């Protein structure tokens, strides 16, 4: 792994092998054989969320919230064990045939108890937090940024494109206008330029996602329409009012 000594990578892999969570790919064994380092891990049937985006282009908001909650649970379990992922993106989140989310490829993970200011930058640019690109100090909020960019991609059908001259606080409403305010708030806060402005913990983020799910479900019960359908109806009514005025 570029920029990471084999001994450190092996140590982190052994830590990952001790973490057991339904939303993390399970490592079964870590070791060396004939001078080569090996990892034996769970075989997960299914495709990454990048394949889901390719098939559907834009993933429905309620499904994105369900996926997000599972990803957060997996990241929280890893962080509690002393690991962060450092490369969260749609391709690194698998969806099994029975709908279980599995986060894979912890190869870029770092022990959050150690600093590594001399490391190479080896991440996917669309999802990389500002502190990663600027070689700043990283923590669990760095993975939060990548999760926000992943949510953005799922909801908008395209990865975020951040103007280097502007803050990376992307307003999802500026790109698509059929996402509920709470979900937009979550994405915006996850992608805050300064990590101090992101959620303070994974439990806090879980609460926000669950609140968004509740608000989405309540809106469906009250109107029988998804947020996208409500926005479409409102737009039609607005056009009709404009025509009557003209």
């Amino acid at each position: 792994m570029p920029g990471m000594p084999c001994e450190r990578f092996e140590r982190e892999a052994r830590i990952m092998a001790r973490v057991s969570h339904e939303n993390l790919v399970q490592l079964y064994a870590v070791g060396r054989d004939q001078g080569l380092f090996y990892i034996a891990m769970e075989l997960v049937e299914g495709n990454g969320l990048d394949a889901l985006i390719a098939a559907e282009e834009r993933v429905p908001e309620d499904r994105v919230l369900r996926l997000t909650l599972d990803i957060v649970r997996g990241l929280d379990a890893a962080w509690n064990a002393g690991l962060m992922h450092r490369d969260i993106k749609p391709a690194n989140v698998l969806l099994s045939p029975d709908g279980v989310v599995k986060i894979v490829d912890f190869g870029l993970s770092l022990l959050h108890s150690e600093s590594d200011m001399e490391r190479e930058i080896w991440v996917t640019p669309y999802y990389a937090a500002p502190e990663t690109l600027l070689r700043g100090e990283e923590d669990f909020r760095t993975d939060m940024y990548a999760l926000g960019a992943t949510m953005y991609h799922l909801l908008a059908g395209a990865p975020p494109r951040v103007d280097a001259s502007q803050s990376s606080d992307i307003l999802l409403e500026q790109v698509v206008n059929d996402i509920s305010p709470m979900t937009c708030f979550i994405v915006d806060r996850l992608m805050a330029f300064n990590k101090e402005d992101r959620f303070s913990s994974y439990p806090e983020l879980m609460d926000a996602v669950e609140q968004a799910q509740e608000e989405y479900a309540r809106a469906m019960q009250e109107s029988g329409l998804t947020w996208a359908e409500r926005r479409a109806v409102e737009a039609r009514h607005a056009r009709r009012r404009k025509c009557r005025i003209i």
Side-chain angles (χ1 to χ4, degrees):
M1 182 62 60
M4 185 179 295
C6 186
E7 293 78 9
R8 181 173 180 178
F9 183 68
E10 182 176 357
R11 183 172 70 250
E12 295 172 8
R14 291 187 184 280
I15 292 174
M16 189 62 204
R18 295 197 298 266
V19 181
S20 178
H21 192 276
E22 65 174 348
N23 298 125
L24 298 175
V25 66
Q26 181 66 51
L27 270 64
Y28 295 128
V30 176
R32 295 175 183 269
D33 183 42
Q34 299 182 23
L36 299 176
F37 177 65
Y38 70 86
I39 297 177
M41 66 178 65
E42 174 186 8
L43 174 63
V44 180
E45 296 183 2
N47 297 312
L49 296 186
D50 54 337
L52 180 63
I53 295 171
E56 300 191 17
E57 187 173 351
R58 292 184 59 197
V59 180
E61 180 180 350
D62 56 337
R63 189 174 188 188
V64 172
L65 291 172
R66 289 196 302 272
L67 295 170
T68 298
L69 192 56
D70 284 346
I71 297 170
V72 175
R73 288 168 176 156
L75 289 175
D76 184 45
W79 178 251
N80 288 334
L83 292 168
M84 55 181 291
H85 191 282
R86 294 192 70 238
D87 196 23
I88 289 294
K89 58 184 178 181
N92 282 341
V93 180
L94 299 185
L95 190 60
S96 69
D98 56 356
V100 177
V101 164
K102 294 281 188 181
I103 303 173
V104 299
D105 196 0
F106 271 79
L108 297 181
S109 65
L110 290 172
L111 287 171
H112 64 62
S113 61
E114 300 183 27
S115 61
D116 190 15
M117 300 302 293
E118 300 303 320
R119 65 183 177 274
E120 293 182 31
I121 296 177
W122 194 261
V123 292
T124 308
Y126 287 131
Y127 314 97
E131 61 269 20
T132 297
L133 299 177
L134 296 174
R135 295 180 178 272
E137 184 178 351
E138 298 174 322
D139 60 25
F140 68 94
R141 293 167 293 185
T142 303
D143 281 344
M144 281 189 176
Y145 183 98
L147 173 57
T150 296
M151 289 182 68
Y152 181 107
H153 195 167
L154 290 164
L155 291 163
R161 295 182 179 274
V162 180
D163 187 333
S165 66
Q166 299 176 350
S167 166
S168 60
D169 294 349
I170 298 296
L171 292 176
L172 195 58
E173 300 100 317
Q174 294 179 355
V175 180
V176 290
N177 65 356
D178 56 5
I179 305 300
S180 66
M182 185 62 187
T183 298
C184 289
F185 165 77
I186 291 171
V187 174
D188 293 342
R189 189 168 174 188
L190 286 171
M191 295 188 67
F193 185 88
N194 296 312
K195 64 178 184 288
E196 292 78 12
D197 295 328
R198 299 170 204 157
F199 292 92
S200 62
S201 68
Y202 283 121
E204 182 190 10
L205 174 54
M206 289 183 213
D207 289 343
V209 176
E210 289 172 349
Q211 180 182 341
Q213 289 179 308
E214 291 170 2
E215 292 185 4
Y216 188 95
R218 185 164 55 250
M220 282 290 293
Q221 290 175 351
E222 293 173 353
S223 66
L225 301 174
T226 66
W227 195 268
E229 291 167 340
R230 291 173 61 189
R231 289 287 179 90
V233 169
E234 291 169 359
R236 287 197 297 270
H237 289 169
R239 287 195 297 269
R240 289 170 184 168
R241 286 195 297 270
K242 183 177 181 180
C243 289
R244 283 198 296 270
I245 293 172
I246 292 174

